[in-house]
Amino acid sequence: MHRTATGEPLPADTIGELLSADTDRPARDEPLRPATDRPRPARGEPIHVLPAGPWRPVRDHLRAHGHAVVHTTWGEWLPAALTRPHLRRLLGRRDWARCKRITDPAVRYRFVASRLLMKYTAAAALATAPEGLDVSYRLGGRPYLRGFDQLDLSLTHTGDLMALGLSRDGRIGVDAEPADRTMRPDLLQSQICTPTEAAELARLPEDEQSEQTLRLWTLKEAYTKALGQGMRLRFTEFGFGLHTGRLLAPDGTPAARTEWTFSTHRILDRYLLSTARHDAGLDTAPDTSAHTMLDPGFAAVMTHFVPPPPDRPAPRRPG
């Protein structure tokens, strides 16, 4: 049975009603606002967000560190996904058409919740309205914001968790797994470990080997996602130092200087969330407001060009 964030049972047909009509439900939307009753996240810590926030730390982390990572659960976004007015406009033409094709109500709800998380988090980072953002997808399904290529996105979900990474300095990848997932190093070493990693794992007590193998798995998933390679890059072609967390070649030599940084956090007491971030070394603006990041010339064209009636020739575009 599906339940709300407060644990109350949800009628079986409620999720199905979410997208049963093409018109928006006449409900009052809730503004983006910070949740003042939540503690501010520590430096580098992933930020736990609800539809009501807190959203200020997202901009603070982007400004101070160049990236931000947020996480939440499906259940915490269920009321928003079911009552959000103007849902069709908020999702956009592409995602609206996609979710209308999803026949399983639970899968459809999860899809909507993850897109709300992307839109709300990006809107907080850009200081703009979520309805004004257009999420598109690269080959392989990686999301990006049309018109805001400087802000890189990475989405992951497992169990009831969904997490999103944003970076204004370069590529970012995030991956999560249940912290209690059992990993068999003896069975997986030939698939995911370099010789150096296998040797380091062998020196650990047996009860730590599974935990460290799981951490390596999430780091490698996050790194390949940041590269845009997914599973096309074999995990045995690169490694990580178990104690240093540095990116290593298969023979154990450093494979990067300081342009790549990695971190792993335990969140919600039951998940491991790893982040891989690349600093491209570009002189990016610390202000991520939409009017700052959007190219003025492109903004002028998008704002002032109006398509002519069919019987008139199109005017020349500026520039």
Side-chain angles (χ1 to χ4, degrees):
M1 176 181 293
H2 299 286
R3 296 179 178 271
T4 66
T6 60
E8 300 171 348
L10 189 70
D13 59 345
T14 304
I15 295 180
E17 292 177 0
L18 174 61
L19 299 172
S20 61
D22 287 345
T23 56
D24 297 318
R25 298 179 64 181
R28 183 176 181 273
D29 203 356
E30 297 151 0
L32 293 173
R33 63 182 185 273
T36 55
D37 59 339
R38 284 174 168 267
R40 294 179 65 86
R43 176 187 176 94
E45 288 284 336
I47 306 164
H48 187 186
V49 295
L50 304 181
W55 296 113
R56 177 65 180 272
V58 174
R59 294 201 71 195
D60 290 346
H61 276 212
L62 279 168
R63 184 181 296 110
H65 315 308
H67 75 287
V69 178
V70 302
H71 67 89
T72 188
T73 63
W74 307 109
E76 290 171 312
W77 284 70
L78 177 58
L82 294 176
T83 63
R84 190 68 41 188
H86 315 303
L87 184 61
R88 182 176 183 175
R89 184 178 65 185
L90 182 58
L91 290 181
R93 176 181 57 83
R94 189 178 298 101
D95 279 342
W96 177 261
R98 182 176 175 183
C99 68
K100 290 286 286 184
R101 294 192 298 268
I102 301 174
T103 58
D104 186 310
V107 175
R108 188 165 52 190
Y109 151 66
R110 291 187 175 194
F111 176 83
V112 172
S114 66
R115 269 54 193 175
L116 289 179
L117 176 64
M118 279 199 292
K119 286 289 188 78
Y120 273 50
T121 307
L126 296 167
T128 191
E131 293 87 350
L133 298 176
D134 183 14
V135 176
S136 191
Y137 302 90
R138 307 185 192 279
L139 291 176
R142 185 181 178 88
Y144 72 97
L145 297 174
R146 289 171 61 88
F148 299 96
D149 288 351
Q150 184 181 340
L151 192 65
D152 196 47
L153 305 178
S154 179
L155 177 71
T156 189
H157 50 81
T158 183
D160 67 340
L161 175 78
M162 52 184 179
L164 179 72
L166 307 90
S167 173
R168 64 175 176 84
D169 292 338
R171 303 299 296 272
I172 191 169
V174 294
D175 186 71
E177 290 288 345
D180 61 356
R181 178 180 176 183
T182 301
M183 305 289 282
R184 290 284 303 274
D186 55 327
L187 299 178
L188 295 172
Q189 281 185 5
S190 62
Q191 301 177 40
I192 71 171
C193 293
T194 65
T196 301
E197 289 172 326
E200 285 193 301
L201 286 170
R203 290 193 290 268
L204 295 177
E206 187 174 345
D207 59 345
E208 293 184 24
Q209 291 185 19
S210 177
E211 178 182 349
Q212 289 299 322
T213 302
L214 181 62
R215 174 173 167 266
L216 287 175
W217 178 273
T218 59
L219 284 170
K220 294 193 176 195
E221 285 275 13
Y223 177 57
T224 54
K225 288 179 180 179
L227 293 175
Q229 294 296 312
M231 297 297 289
R232 293 186 295 274
L233 180 62
R234 294 180 59 188
F235 284 1
T236 55
E237 295 179 12
F238 63 95
F240 290 95
L242 294 187
H243 303 292
T244 65
R246 295 185 60 185
L247 183 65
L248 303 176
D251 62 1
T253 58
R257 294 186 176 88
T258 58
E259 66 271 23
W260 281 99
T261 55
F262 304 91
S263 62
T264 301
H265 296 275
R266 189 181 181 98
I267 57 174
L268 303 179
D269 293 327
R270 61 185 185 276
Y271 291 104
L272 287 185
L273 175 61
S274 287
T275 303
R277 186 172 69 92
H278 180 252
D279 187 345
L282 302 177
D283 186 14
T284 57
D287 185 3
T288 56
S289 299
H291 73 276
T292 302
M293 296 186 69
L294 192 60
D295 178 77
F298 178 76
V301 171
M302 296 298 292
T303 302
H304 300 296
F305 177 74
V306 179
D311 58 343
R312 294 184 185 179
R316 294 178 61 84
R317 292 178 181 266

